[in-house]
Amino acid sequence: MSASPESSGPGSAPPGLPALREITPAHVLGWLAAGWRDFARVPVASALHGLLFLAGALAIVAIGWRDSGLLAGAFTGFVIVAPILVTGFHELSRRLQSGEALPPLGLLALIAVWQRRGARLAALGGLLAVAGTLWVGFSSLLVRLAVGSAAAEVGGVGGYLRQFLAAGDAWLLVWLMAGGLGAAIVFAVTAISVPMLVDRDLPLSTAIRTSVAAVGLNPVSLGVWAATIMALTLLGFATVVGLVVVLPLLGHATWHAYRDLVEPGPETGGAQAARDARSGGAPGGRGR
């Protein structure tokens, strides 16, 4: 268990899922503190991963602000890669926590995870890409309903905002509420599923169901965590360069959130990675 406040105790979990813990909002500060310690222990590798994310995020903003058609393709491509990139932070934290040797180059941690869990992480990226594409399509449809097909402009996020404001507050509210609902669903699906896939050899469906169950068991605490992620991300975007620190911090902290939320299994962390290595890097034969 990470260096966070003591959990309230083991909670329930649907049949077939790992046991979950009930936590308190105070754990959020513990996760950030543990994430910062990990960042300080591997600053170069963490910052390098942060730079990769920064480049992708800035490209999405630059493209999507101007052209909604390009936004769909750019966003889809980025979310396919994003779950793979963030695993580098989780793998570094996993190795630090388990006492395993760190790779001589930080990116080798990312490659090691890809060799073990690549297919499942790519599948998760594909699901997120579908969600992102549906959101862009919904936004375009809503603009046409709000201002009419003839008056609708071809534009990106900036164009959406201008047209919703021109159509009236109600349309903007609908758009923001739909976006909030979509973000909540994506958060529930990904809150701990990615670090869980890094740590354990299990089907993607199990990781997603466990993540959703953990959010359902701890709605207030993980709601605070989601708000913290949003606030720090916005702060990072406001300073741009700050994302190089914020993204690694959140990536490492998410690992500790997973370890606090899910009871250890019979074979996790270093033992699981060692078994995968002995079998040539392939997962233990479980399907997605």
Side-chain angles (χ1 to χ4, degrees):
M1 191 170 169
S2 6
S4 296
E6 289 297 320
S7 300
S8 301
S12 59
L17 299 184
L20 299 172
R21 296 189 181 110
E22 292 186 58
I23 59 165
T24 68
H27 280 74
V28 170
L29 293 178
W31 299 339
L32 292 174
W36 180 254
R37 287 194 295 270
D38 287 353
F39 180 84
R41 291 176 67 183
V42 284
V44 175
S46 296
L48 183 58
H49 283 81
L51 282 171
L52 290 174
F53 263 99
L54 176 61
L58 290 179
I60 295 298
V61 171
I63 294 171
W65 193 263
R66 297 190 306 271
D67 192 321
S68 60
L70 293 178
L71 173 64
F75 184 81
T76 297
F78 181 69
V79 297
I80 290 175
V81 177
I84 299 170
L85 293 180
V86 77
T87 55
F89 302 124
H90 303 332
E91 176 69 1
L92 289 170
S93 288
R94 185 190 69 77
R95 292 189 181 214
L96 288 171
Q97 192 170 35
S98 66
E100 288 183 57
L102 294 172
L105 295 174
L107 285 179
L108 293 180
L110 185 62
I111 295 173
V113 174
W114 174 253
Q115 290 175 333
R116 297 201 312 268
R117 308 284 188 258
R120 296 167 202 182
L121 292 168
L124 178 58
L127 290 176
L128 295 176
V130 170
T133 302
L134 289 174
W135 167 244
V136 173
F138 172 79
S139 297
S140 298
L141 176 62
L142 202 61
V143 164
R144 284 165 172 75
L145 290 174
V147 302
S149 299
E153 302 173 6
V154 176
V157 177
Y160 288 149
L161 288 172
R162 287 193 302 272
Q163 292 175 87
F164 282 131
L165 288 172
D169 294 341
W171 287 103
L172 179 61
L173 180 61
V174 170
W175 187 56
L176 293 176
M177 289 178 62
L181 177 61
I185 294 172
V186 169
F187 174 77
V189 167
T190 59
I192 59 170
S193 58
V194 178
M196 191 172 187
L197 288 172
V198 170
D199 193 39
R200 307 187 187 204
D201 178 21
L202 43 70
L204 173 59
S205 59
T206 301
I208 290 176
R209 290 170 57 216
T210 303
S211 184
V212 172
V215 173
L217 183 64
N218 300 281
V220 175
S221 298
L222 289 180
V224 172
W225 176 230
T228 301
I229 292 173
M230 181 179 298
L232 289 176
T233 302
L234 289 175
L235 177 63
F237 268 114
T239 59
V240 182
V241 178
L243 283 175
V244 179
V245 174
V246 169
L247 292 174
L249 171 63
L250 293 175
H252 290 303
T254 299
W255 166 262
H256 294 281
Y258 151 69
R259 291 304 301 266
D260 275 349
L261 286 162
V262 183
E263 293 281 356
E267 191 173 9
T268 61
Q272 181 67 63
R275 192 187 75 168
D276 289 342
R278 287 195 299 271
S279 64
R286 294 180 186 164
R288 287 177 286 173

